[in-house]
Each structure stands twice: as structure tokens, then as C-alpha cells.
Amino acid sequence: MSVTTITTLGTYRNDSPYPFCPGCGHKSILDHLNEALVELQVDPMKTVIVTDIGCAGLSDQYFATSAFHGLHGRSITYATGIKLAQPDLTVIVVMGDGGTGIGGTHLLNAARRNIGVTVLVFNNFNYGMTGGQHSATTPEGAVTTTTPGGNPERPLDICGSVGVNGAGFVWRGTSFDGDLTQRICEAITSNSFALLDIWELCTAYFVKSNQFTRRALESTLETLGFQTGVLYRDGRQEYSRALRETARGPDSVPVGPTPIEQKWSASLERPFMIELAGSAGGRVRSAARIGALAAIQSGLYAAQRDDYPVTVKTGHSLAKLLLADRPIDYAGSDRPDVLVVLTADGLAKVRSRAVGLSGDSIILTVPEFADIESGAEVQVVDPSSLSDRFPKADLGLLALAVVVRRTGVFPIDALRAAAAEGPFGESNAAAVEAGIQLASL
Amino acid sequence: MRELTDGSTAIVRGAVDAGCDFFAGYPITPASQILTAMSREMPRVGGVAIQGEDEISSIGMCIGATMAGARAMTATSGPGISLYSENIGMAIIGEVPLVIIDVQRLGPSTGGATTAAQGDVQFVRWGTGGGYPIIALAPSSVPECYTLTMKAFDLAERFRCPVFVLTDKELNLTATTVDINAYERIPVRPRARIAPGESAGTPYAYHPPDAVGPIATYGDEAPVRFTGSTHDERAFITKDPQTVGALNEHLVAKIENHQDEIDMVVADIDPGASTALLSYGITAGSMREAVRIARAGGRPVSALTIQSLWPVPERAILALLQNHGRVVVGELNHGQYRREVERLAAKGTEVVGVHRNDGTLITPQDFLEVLS
Ligand SMILES: Cc1ncc(C[n+]2csc(CCOP(=O)(O)OP(=O)(O)O)c2C)c(N)n1
Ligand code: SF4
Ligand SMILES: [Mg+2]
């Protein structure tokens, strides 16, 4: 015979008395939270109370559940991380109106995502802990220690902000509302981003400086035209589960090593650098990448450094291809052995360096830039002399083929083979053949 | 066999092989490639990757996820480290194992997004209030990006603290050729978790002061507390001077008393050399090239590559200072690590800096000029 004992928890509070000032609304909200936890009989091991900063931020220390006491305004970020790592946990955030203001972006984005955490905003219209300064929710005209002449700022509509941005459950009311326990239960069981904007009294500051009362709470709500009760419900899928279902893209190729087989051989006495200077859209970088693969297939070591504006589809595009017969420790050199000038954008970027090149270097370019000023030997090739016409985008690879053919830095067959691989294989191979032809003209 | 790859890719592989299963980050050049690769990789290994609404939320999510059992990593550049600052302190006091990749770019401020720099060396060390220690590693090659990322995960578990991996734009984004067996896969210790029913109520117990206790994880068989405030061993807030003093001494001692488990350098010593070069990260590559050229020309020279920047591997640096009359420190900043070397140097030892702050790399020639 097996006996199952069901223990019901009568309280989720521990033995410590609350630290709040007499009459502070925080106490009564926490009592409602405790009642809600008792009613739901959540597993204390599977429940995390995440607190913000301020007097409200002290709250976790009076509960027997798990707890996370974080930084000012950031409680929602920790709660999100916890929920993403363990979607089965019940995560409850306790934050003040101060935390809500400084962490506003987290509030909006958590609502937008519909991450399954319950946020209880202990909204007492000021910063209790730091001495009664105004917050993002202080009503217009209210006197605080930083608005001695009355607050000129409009208070934030927390519920409206998260509600229109996708929160799953949104309620506004006061700490005096009889249904608060029920609403906390509803929020927790909604398993969505649930927010309760709970208006309450800070007896130490806001009550004192504004003769504020329970009645005043209600009349302020009315004056502002802020609705109360359950304001939004949304049945969208909860985020920690939605993310796990959608995250995997169709092309999940592992980033593991992709070995390149050596099929040819080449040797170099010293590092050799080819720099391609062209324009965005000219496939300059992909030409250099093909060159690098071909060099590696020839037993060399290659490094490729690119330079292009952050607006990638316009302006110059430079690719430096450094080749060596041992691992490359330094790829930062600015002095190419062969500088290929393809376009005016490219020329503008390398003009001053071209001037400084000596006779050991070669500049390869098209007739348009034949008068380039440089100490290097200038070689001009004219693609228009070929029988076929080539699109501009193929010019980089075509020029690279000329360089490889003329310098013999690695076998031209390696470039042929690398060009034929992958996307654009056919047109790349044709560009290499054209380059070979041009090299001997 | 060889491959064509870059530091970003090696870091991502290192993270995956170290068992990383949570990544949160915010796009920033030159670290975005890590975010995008982790967004592909994490779902493949059953983990989670998320783009936060900013850097503050990204590191916050990492810390929350870690306390819920994840092995987390985030990646950014200097501007993002600024936004991480307060949470770095929280990870220190809350003793959260966390790997932070800083792909440095030229500062200050937005500076040069696509230009290399090593300007965050002192920043990561002192980047949060209080001045408590962190660990920082600096790979100087693509294979080291892989291994030191794994090492960062291992040290994060060992010391329960944030561990930085400092790289830069050139190391992360330059594609280079690597011998596949150059990647050294190292063991990464599993998380030391509090056994069910065992002292879960005291997640911050440490006896003796430099001991690092096991971690209590949400969802385990006892409630778990965490706090960013000064706390007792049960994670309740306290101001009791004795408890607070002991906690803060513990945060220092657990790292400083165990430096031998962290120190990592590569010493290439020529007993006949009177000058030694010292560098780290991408600049150590230029240094190696300079050493090769110098020796080929018959000039004796020693070199020390610092792989563990923080805590400073003082023993290795002192040995270098004792055996060479002149130490040349090369770095892409105004001499941030040179300060550490100078602080250790005895009178009579010359410490010389080689610096660049224009977005270009220190060249082998820059080192050679100081040698002659
Ligand atoms: C980054 C940061 N800035 C400022 C503070 C100081 N601070 C402590 S509590 C607090 C305001 C708390 O107000 P609220 O969130 O409304 O909580 P209450 O005290 O009213 O419950 C502030 C600004 C802090 N802890 N962290
Ligand atoms: S200062 Fe205000 S918020 Fe803080 S405990 Fe006192 S009454 Fe409550
Ligand atoms: Mg408040």
C-alpha cells in the first residue's frame, strides 16, 4: 500500500517581520501576494521572486520561496533570463514605480515578447527609499522633494504602455482592492507577461507632502482618466516556449572546422600580398576569398583583411590577400606586392599608398587609371580587348587571375578549381579563363 | 588539413565545446558576428540565444539564466562594456560564473567601429564600482581564441566570477589559415552544484575565506536566494561589518590566492638577450614576427606573450624583468599594461612602450626599431 501525503502550505512568508514604515502600502500588497501563493499552492522551489531596488526591492527577504534581488530597474531582465533557462519556473517580479521608470525599455520589450513573468508594480508615486523624489508616475502638480513647486511632468500610463505592446494580462487597481489576491492569482496562472499596476501609499513621503489618502488615490485615477480593473488580455504564445520553437533556422550548419584539402603545391620565400581595390557590388571580397582558398589548396597560408564602409552596399571595397608558407602572425601590412586598382572608389582609397610603393611592387589596372601616380611598375590590362564582354562584378576575379598567371604565386589551376566551386561557379570560372587570356596579351 | 577562418568563429566553437547553452547580446561592430553565429548555434545544441533590447538587458538575462542553471556568455565591444558595468559588479558580488567577450575597437566613445584597438585593458579590470578583481584572458591567434574561450568557461566555474576574453577587430574579423590540429580542446569543469538537501540555504558559505562554494540553482530541491547587496551566507542583506568585511575579503582572496591556477603566458626566452619584448592579443602576433626577423638577422631577443592579463601574472613578468635590462611593451593603447610592468620593475630596468592609437596595428618594424 502506498501512502501519498499532501502537505498544504499555510503561508509562503518566513519568520522575519516586514521592515516597512507603518501604513506603507508595500506590506498589504505582500500580504495579498502571500495569499495568492497559498491559494495557488505553488512549489516554493519552483517559484522565484525577483525584486528590484528601493523599499519594494526588500520584499523577497520575507518569503520562503527562491529569490533574486537585482539592480535598480533591471529586475525584468533577470526574470527573463531565469524564465528562458527554465520555462517551468514561476517567476514574479516586484518593482517600484522608480524601477519601472529607469527600466522602462525592459518593461516594453518584455511585454512585446510576452515573456511569462508576473510583474507587480508597487506604485507609490515616488522614490521611497531615497527620500521621496518624484518618479515617472508622480501625478502632475504633486509635491515631492525634487518638485517642491509641484510636478510639471505627466505621469506614465504603465498599463497602457505594456497593454498596447502585447502584454498577456494587465490590471490596474489599488492596494485596498478586495480582489487583489484573485488578480495576482490570475496573473500568475496566465503564463504570459502579466502586469499589475498597484497604486498605494508611501506614508513617509508622498502621503505627508500631499496630504494623500486612500480617497485621493481614487480621485487621482479619475482625474487622469486612468481605467481600473483588467484592462488587457492576450492569448499569444508565451515567449520562452515560442523562442525555443522558432529559433532554429533552416540552414543550421555547425560552425565546426571546414577542412580544405591540399591539391597543388606552391612555395614562397617571403610573404606576398595582393590587394584588390574596387567598389561595393564588385565582388572584390569574394574574389579575394576564392584566391585565399586556392592558395590554401596549394599548401600556402592565406589571410584576408577587408576594408569597406559600414554602409556596405556603397563606396569602396578593399581586400588584402596575404600569402605565406607558414602560419601568419601579422597580416596588417599596408604595402602590397601587387596592387590591383579596379574602380575610382578603390583608387581614391589607395591613391596615397600607391604613391609610396617602390619598383619592387606592381600596380595592375585598367586603361582608365593608367596614369596612376606611383613608384611601382604599372601594368595596364584592357578587358574590352577580350572577345566576350564581362560584367563589372567579375572584374576583381578576372584581375586576380591575371596576377596569379603573371606572378605564378600559386598554380593557376588552383584558382580555376576554387572559382568553379560554390555559387556563381560558372561565371567565376569564365572570369578566371578570361583573366588567363588577358595575362598573355 | 587547414581551414580559412577567423577569431569570431573560433570563439563560438570554443563556447559550444565548453557547454555554453545561453547567449544574450546586442549588435555592435566588431562583435556582431558572435551574436549572429550564436543565434544559429544555440538552438542546435538545445540552448537559447536572444538579442536583448540593449546591453544592460543582455548581461542581465545572462546572469538570471546562470542562476537558473545555464552556462552563459555575452559578447560586445567597448561601448557595450560601459553598459555592462553595473551588472559586472553584480556578477562579482553574486558570484556568478559568466563569460564576457570584449572585441575591442578604437575609442573613446563610438570611436572607430571598424578599427582595431586594445584600449579596454584597464577598463575591464576596473570597470565597475568597488575595485574587486575579475579574470581576463587575451588570445593572440585564432586557435587561442578557441582554447581561451574554453578556458574562460572553466575559470568562471572554478572561481564563480565574470571572466573576460579580450580580443579586437583584427583578430575577430580577419580570415586566416589555421591548421586544424592547432585547436587545443581543453577540459571544462562541470558546475559545482549544491547537492539536493545539502546546505542549499547557504549559497554563500565559504570556509576558508578563499574557498569557492558550490552553486545553488533555481528549481533544485530547496529554495535558492541571490542578491546583489552585501549579504550573509544565506544571501540576506546585512551591514554587519564582520560579515561584510569577510565577504569582500573572500571576493579578493578566492582569486588572488589562486593565481597559479590562472596565470598563462608564453615565454620565448633567449638567454643571450638583453632586451625582451612583452605583448598580448593581436599585437603579440606582430611581436612574434619581429622576433623571427630579429633572430634571423642575428639579433638576440626574448619575448613574453601574456595570455592571462588579469590578475597580472607577476611571477612571469618579474622573471623577465630580472633577466633583461630592457623590456619593451607593445600594445594598441597609451601604455595600459606598461603601467603594470613598470610597477614591477626594479630601479635600473628600462621599460619602454610601443604604442599606436590610430586604428592601425603595431607592425613588426615598430618593435624592431626599438630593438636597434
Ligand atoms: C543605478 C542606481 N541608481 C540609483 C539608485 C538609488 N536608488 C535606490 S532606491 C531608488 C528609488 C526606488 O524607488 P521605487 O522603485 O519607487 O521604490 P520604493 O522605494 O518607492 O519602494 C533609487 C533611485 C540605485 N540603487 N541604483
Ligand atoms: S519610505 Fe515609503 S515606501 Fe519606503 S517603507 Fe516607508 S512608506 Fe514604504
Ligand atoms: Mg516608489
Side-chain angles (χ1 to χ4, degrees):
Chain A
M1 193 178 80
S2 77
V3 180
T4 315
T5 334
I6 299 170
T7 3
T8 355
L9 281 172
T11 182
Y12 285 72
R13 291 266 289 107
N14 58 23
D15 301 334
S16 305
Y18 292 129
F20 309 117
C21 305
C24 172
H26 292 2
K27 175 191 174 301
S28 63
I29 303 175
L30 291 179
D31 284 343
H32 284 291
L33 173 60
N34 183 40
E35 277 174 30
L37 296 178
V38 170
E39 175 150 339
L40 295 174
Q41 285 296 306
V42 297
D43 181 345
M45 266 71 93
K46 306 267 180 230
T47 304
V48 189
I49 297 180
V50 181
T51 56
D52 212 87
I53 287 287
C55 299
L58 300 170
S59 303
D60 60 278
Q61 301 190 94
Y62 307 92
F63 285 81
T65 63
S66 284
F68 188 112
H69 176 51
L71 299 178
H72 188 30
R74 317 303 169 195
S75 44
I76 286 176
T77 70
Y78 313 121
T80 301
I82 293 167
K83 187 73 182 178
L84 286 176
Q86 282 201 50
D88 291 336
L89 295 180
T90 298
V91 184
I92 300 161
V93 173
V94 171
M95 66 198 292
D97 44 310
T100 307
I102 190 175
T105 185
H106 310 313
L107 192 81
L108 293 182
N109 286 287
R112 218 168 45 71
R113 293 183 185 118
N114 197 31
I115 182 82
V117 304
T118 295
V119 177
L120 307 179
V121 179
F122 287 30
N123 188 353
N124 58 12
F125 321 113
N126 70 176
Y127 295 2
M129 184 172 269
T130 44
Q133 298 86 354
H134 75 285
S135 78
T137 66
T138 307
E140 239 169 308
V143 173
T144 69
T145 49
T146 43
T147 54
N151 180 31
E153 299 177 13
R154 196 196 136 86
L156 176 71
D157 178 349
I158 300 172
C159 293
S161 304
V162 296
V164 299
N165 283 299
F169 177 89
V170 182
W171 178 90
R172 184 188 283 119
T174 78
S175 61
F176 301 101
D177 288 353
D179 62 347
L180 182 51
T181 299
Q182 274 323 303
R183 296 311 181 189
I184 296 174
C185 290
E186 255 182 90
I188 292 172
T189 52
S190 76
N191 194 29
S192 64
F193 182 81
L195 182 138
L196 284 78
D197 178 11
I198 309 163
W199 290 30
E200 44 133 7
L201 300 177
C202 169
T203 47
Y205 298 104
F206 202 80
V207 162
K208 244 173 52 191
S209 46
N210 295 282
Q211 287 82 50
F212 215 62
T213 57
R214 174 179 179 178
R215 172 62 48 80
L217 275 179
E218 280 144 18
S219 64
T220 306
L221 281 166
E222 241 167 69
T223 319
L224 286 168
F226 281 13
Q227 303 294 305
T228 57
V230 178
L231 304 177
Y232 295 89
R233 278 186 209 274
D234 189 325
R236 273 192 313 145
Q237 195 184 12
E238 192 277 320
Y239 183 72
S240 60
R241 294 200 158 72
L243 181 63
R244 281 169 195 271
E245 278 171 30
T246 59
R248 195 161 174 170
D251 64 332
S252 47
V253 186
V255 291
T258 35
I260 300 166
E261 243 177 273
Q262 186 182 340
K263 297 179 188 150
W264 289 273
S265 67
S267 65
L268 284 172
E269 270 169 26
R270 55 174 192 87
F272 189 85
M273 200 218 285
I274 304 166
E275 178 167 4
L276 304 178
S279 297
R283 297 194 10 229
V284 170
R285 289 151 62 197
S286 55
R289 171 65 61 143
I290 289 168
L293 292 175
I296 298 169
Q297 288 177 346
S298 308
L300 297 176
Y301 288 80
Q304 182 182 346
R305 275 176 84 216
D306 300 329
D307 178 36
Y308 47 90
V310 271
T311 48
V312 291
K313 293 237 181 260
T314 171
H316 71 274
S317 176
L318 306 185
K320 293 191 178 78
L321 179 58
L322 180 67
L323 309 174
D325 57 6
R326 54 177 167 74
I328 294 167
D329 271 325
Y330 172 72
S333 169
D334 255 352
R335 294 183 63 87
D337 295 281
V338 180
L339 174 61
V340 180
V341 177
L342 298 164
T343 66
D345 290 324
L347 175 59
K349 273 312 263 193
V350 300
R351 182 176 275 125
S352 60
R353 282 194 287 124
V355 174
L357 289 179
S358 62
D360 319 337
S361 299
I362 295 169
I363 289 182
L364 184 84
T365 190
V366 290
E368 200 183 338
F369 311 115
D371 57 354
I372 184 169
E373 195 190 324
S374 174
E377 175 197 334
V378 179
Q379 299 184 1
V380 179
V381 290
D382 186 1
S384 69
S385 65
L386 292 164
S387 46
D388 289 324
R389 291 196 60 77
F390 281 88
K392 276 208 172 93
D394 284 346
L395 197 56
L397 188 56
L398 197 148
L400 182 64
V402 175
V403 174
V404 172
R405 182 63 169 196
R406 287 188 177 168
T407 60
V409 63
F410 55 78
I412 193 74
D413 282 345
L415 190 66
R416 270 195 173 113
E421 277 172 32
F424 308 108
E426 217 165 293
S427 63
N428 283 344
V432 170
E433 292 311 324
I436 294 169
Q437 212 186 320
L438 206 54
S440 45
L441 284 183
Chain B
M1 289 259 235
R2 294 171 192 166
E3 62 161 346
L4 184 62
T5 190
D6 55 35
S8 294
T9 309
I11 287 169
V12 170
R13 282 186 205 154
V16 169
D17 287 351
C20 175
D21 58 5
F22 191 92
F23 182 90
Y26 187 79
I28 182 168
T29 305
S32 301
Q33 281 78 356
I34 297 176
L35 165 65
T36 47
M38 289 301 276
S39 303
R40 279 200 330 267
E41 286 302 295
M42 285 295 94
R44 255 188 1 93
V45 299
V48 171
I50 179 170
Q51 178 177 325
E53 56 269 24
D54 56 18
E55 283 86 350
I56 298 177
S57 65
S58 299
I59 187 172
M61 289 179 200
C62 285
I63 292 171
T66 302
M67 294 313 295
R71 275 200 174 187
M73 179 171 96
T74 184
T76 188
S77 190
I81 300 286
S82 303
L83 293 188
Y84 285 176
S85 171
E86 197 186 5
N87 269 310
I88 290 168
M90 201 181 71
I92 290 173
I93 197 171
E95 302 194 55
V96 183
L98 177 63
V99 174
I100 302 173
I101 312 288
D102 177 5
V103 189
Q104 297 166 98
R105 58 190 242 182
L106 188 66
S109 186
T110 303
T114 55
T115 35
Q118 296 178 303
D120 296 348
V121 171
Q122 293 285 352
F123 181 36
V124 299
R125 170 60 185 85
W126 305 103
T128 191
Y132 287 84
I134 48 84
I135 295 171
L137 309 180
S140 72
S141 68
V142 169
E144 283 180 24
C145 284
Y146 172 80
T147 306
L148 294 193
T149 299
M150 293 194 81
K151 187 74 187 172
F153 276 94
D154 185 57
L155 292 173
E157 296 296 340
R158 165 66 184 85
F159 292 101
R160 286 183 66 177
C161 71
V163 179
F164 290 83
V165 178
L166 280 175
T167 62
D168 73 284
K169 177 257 167 182
E170 294 294 343
L171 191 50
N172 269 56
L173 301 187
T174 300
T176 196
T177 311
V178 178
D179 283 308
I180 280 167
N181 43 24
Y183 295 104
E184 192 194 343
R185 189 176 175 142
I186 55 164
V188 176
R189 76 196 70 210
R191 176 151 308 163
R193 282 168 77 147
I194 289 181
E198 219 179 76
S199 66
T202 54
Y204 295 97
Y206 41 86
H207 312 288
D210 63 343
V212 176
I215 300 181
T217 302
Y218 295 134
D220 279 356
E221 285 170 40
V224 173
R225 293 188 46 76
F226 173 95
T227 180
S229 298
T230 50
H231 50 263
D232 61 19
E233 60 181 28
R234 300 170 307 148
F236 283 94
I237 298 177
T238 180
K239 290 199 327 189
D240 171 53
Q242 214 180 336
T243 313
V244 171
L247 165 68
N248 285 348
E249 291 315 319
H250 157 71
L251 295 177
V252 175
K254 71 173 180 179
I255 293 175
E256 289 192 350
N257 294 7
H258 297 276
Q259 244 193 278
D260 52 335
E261 294 175 59
I262 304 167
D263 285 1
M264 274 182 288
V265 300
V266 180
D268 176 7
I269 305 298
D270 179 338
S274 59
T275 298
L277 308 180
L278 182 152
S279 194
Y280 54 87
I282 187 77
T283 311
S286 308
M287 175 178 77
R288 286 195 288 268
E289 186 69 22
V291 167
R292 218 173 272 131
I293 298 168
R295 287 180 182 164
R299 276 182 286 174
V301 64
S302 296
L304 186 70
T305 302
I306 310 286
Q307 291 178 318
S308 58
L309 289 175
W310 302 107
V312 176
E314 298 189 352
R315 223 184 307 164
I317 296 175
L318 281 168
L320 191 78
L321 287 163
Q322 268 153 24
N323 299 323
H324 300 82
R326 192 155 170 264
V327 172
V328 178
V329 184
E331 50 189 337
L332 295 172
N333 56 52
H334 289 90
Q336 295 188 19
Y337 214 69
R338 176 164 51 89
R339 297 171 66 95
E340 303 302 320
V341 179
E342 279 168 350
R343 151 176 93 70
L344 296 168
K347 273 213 177 73
T349 310
E350 195 188 346
V351 180
V352 186
V354 173
H355 311 298
R356 265 183 199 262
N357 293 284
D358 58 0
T360 65
L361 296 181
I362 288 174
T363 67
Q365 201 53 40
D366 291 337
F367 278 110
L368 292 171
E369 272 163 29
V370 191
L371 270 186
S372 54

